[in-house]
């Protein structure tokens, strides 16, 4: 299913807010770079929706109707189903007992979380404060830390629910995730910069240090022979890091 279908909008969209208008961004790569370096990207207008009577997966953010039509924009397109979230639709969602609108904050891997999930959560909280945010049990450290830095300890305890599985919810606050996640909407970049300025940094990373970012603990697309690759990199001074265990600061 899709937000653009008239029958979906009629049955499930209660309210909507414009986050940012459509825009074309130019990337000033040198003419010496090959054509694989894209020079421009058109972004659709960015909208936030209040959806009614939806099924959700806490683990991966999949959203689908009670008639088992999944919302493509909840995971960035049909190709993402190859990573496994379709199986969530085989289970009977539990009724969700909280009356406040729900916000999903799935652990989708570090870069997807930083450039897709976190900006959407920030935008939603800019517009609606009285919400319940769902985070999966066993989520990476950076997911929980981001919310604690954003909300503070007291509000985190009040707004965030650590849980698992699938639920039926009456109200879901939702911003679409579109395909080609390598391109971040300029409004998301602006909001992330504000978040970064707000939380500050205590990084002590050495300049010039060689690091290899492991996918061994990522939720999907792990490298089968990563140890073999890293053994070769270690010989030339690389250190392996796991973003799932590191602080955002």
């Amino acid at each position: 299913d899709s937000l653009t279908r008239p029958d979906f909008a009629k049955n499930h969209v209660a309210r909507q807010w414009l986050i940012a208008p459509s825009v074309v961004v130019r990337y000033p790569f040198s003419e010496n770079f090959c054509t694989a370096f894209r020079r421009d990207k058109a972004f659709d207008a960015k909208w936030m929706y209040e959806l009614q009577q939806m099924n959700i997966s806490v683990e991966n953010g999949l959203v689908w109707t009670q008639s088992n039509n999944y919302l493509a924009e909840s995971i960035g397109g049909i190709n993402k189903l190859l990573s496994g979230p379709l199986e969530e639709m085989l289970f009977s969602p539990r009724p969700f007992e909280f009356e406040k609108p729900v916000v999903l904050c799935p652990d989708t891997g570090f870069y997807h979380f930083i450039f897709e999930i976190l900006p959407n959560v920030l935008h939603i909280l800019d517009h609606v404060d009285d919400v319940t945010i769902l985070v999966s049990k066993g989520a990476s450290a950076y997911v929980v830390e981001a919310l604690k830095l954003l909300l503070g300890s007291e509000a985190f305890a009040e707004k965030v629910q650590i849980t698992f599985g699938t639920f039926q919810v009456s109200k879901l606050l939702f911003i679409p995730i579109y395909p080609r996640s390598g391109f971040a909407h300029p409004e998301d970049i602006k909001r992330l910069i504000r978040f970064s300025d707000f939380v500050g940094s205590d990084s002590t990373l050495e300049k010039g240090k060689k690091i290899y970012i492991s996918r061994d603990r990522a939720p999907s697309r792990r490298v089968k022979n990563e140890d073999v690759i890293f053994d070769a990199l270690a010989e030339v001074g690389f250190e392996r890091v796991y973003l799932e265990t590191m602080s955002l600061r």
Side-chain angles (χ1 to χ4, degrees):
D1 221 324
S2 173
L3 288 161
T4 60
R5 289 179 52 129
D7 56 338
F8 180 89
K10 177 182 177 180
N11 294 327
H12 298 286
V13 177
R15 291 189 293 168
Q16 63 188 60
W17 299 258
L18 179 63
I19 303 298
S22 58
V23 63
V24 175
V25 177
R26 309 292 181 184
Y27 304 102
F29 288 115
S30 167
E31 293 182 358
N32 296 326
F33 286 19
C34 69
T35 55
F37 289 83
R38 186 164 174 175
R39 270 71 174 181
D40 55 72
K41 165 66 175 170
F43 292 91
D44 292 334
K46 192 174 183 75
W47 291 88
M48 167 181 155
Y49 300 89
E50 180 185 306
L51 304 182
Q52 296 180 323
Q53 306 305 321
M54 303 301 295
N55 296 331
I56 61 170
S57 168
V58 177
E59 278 73 21
N60 53 49
L62 183 67
V63 176
W64 68 102
T65 68
Q66 295 179 2
S67 56
N68 279 344
N69 292 324
Y70 86 93
L71 188 58
E73 293 93 339
S74 66
I75 55 172
I78 193 169
N79 62 306
K80 294 287 186 68
L81 288 177
L82 299 176
S83 299
L86 186 61
E87 65 189 31
E88 305 290 345
M89 297 171 63
L90 301 177
F91 301 98
S92 297
R94 295 171 285 169
F96 192 63
E97 63 270 25
F98 297 94
E99 295 183 0
K100 297 178 182 179
V102 169
V103 179
L104 284 169
C105 189
D107 182 5
T108 53
F110 184 81
Y111 290 106
H112 286 285
F113 176 77
I114 293 296
F115 291 108
E116 294 177 341
I117 305 302
L118 181 57
N120 284 353
V121 172
L122 294 170
H123 288 311
I124 289 171
L125 292 178
D126 286 342
H127 288 77
V128 182
D129 180 65
D130 195 18
V131 301
T132 297
I133 303 172
L134 299 187
V135 176
S136 63
K137 286 185 177 180
S140 299
Y142 54 76
V143 176
V144 175
E145 183 187 20
L147 293 175
K148 285 185 176 179
L149 290 171
L150 173 65
L151 299 170
S153 299
E154 185 176 338
F156 178 90
E158 176 188 344
K159 296 178 183 294
V160 177
Q161 297 290 326
I162 309 294
T163 185
F164 67 95
T166 58
F167 292 94
Q168 300 170 358
V169 296
S170 58
K171 295 180 182 179
L172 175 69
L173 296 177
F174 174 80
I175 296 177
I177 297 174
Y178 290 104
R180 299 188 180 277
S181 56
F183 294 93
H185 195 291
E187 197 65 27
D188 293 346
I189 298 297
K190 292 178 185 177
R191 191 60 185 87
L192 286 171
I193 291 173
R194 285 170 50 202
F195 174 71
S196 177
D197 291 342
F198 172 73
V199 303
S201 172
D202 58 8
S203 174
T204 57
L205 183 65
E206 304 170 25
K207 289 185 177 180
K209 188 174 183 179
K210 298 177 180 179
I211 62 171
Y212 170 77
I213 300 174
S214 174
R215 290 197 63 88
D216 188 56
R217 302 180 188 180
S220 63
R221 306 202 321 271
R222 297 175 184 173
V223 180
K224 181 176 282 189
N225 63 336
E226 181 177 297
D227 288 339
V228 175
I229 295 171
F230 179 70
D231 286 345
L233 293 173
E235 292 180 2
V236 291
F238 278 81
E239 177 183 337
R240 179 155 41 182
V241 298
Y242 301 92
L243 296 178
E244 292 78 7
T245 65
M246 299 180 70
S247 167
L248 280 178
R249 304 177 69 184

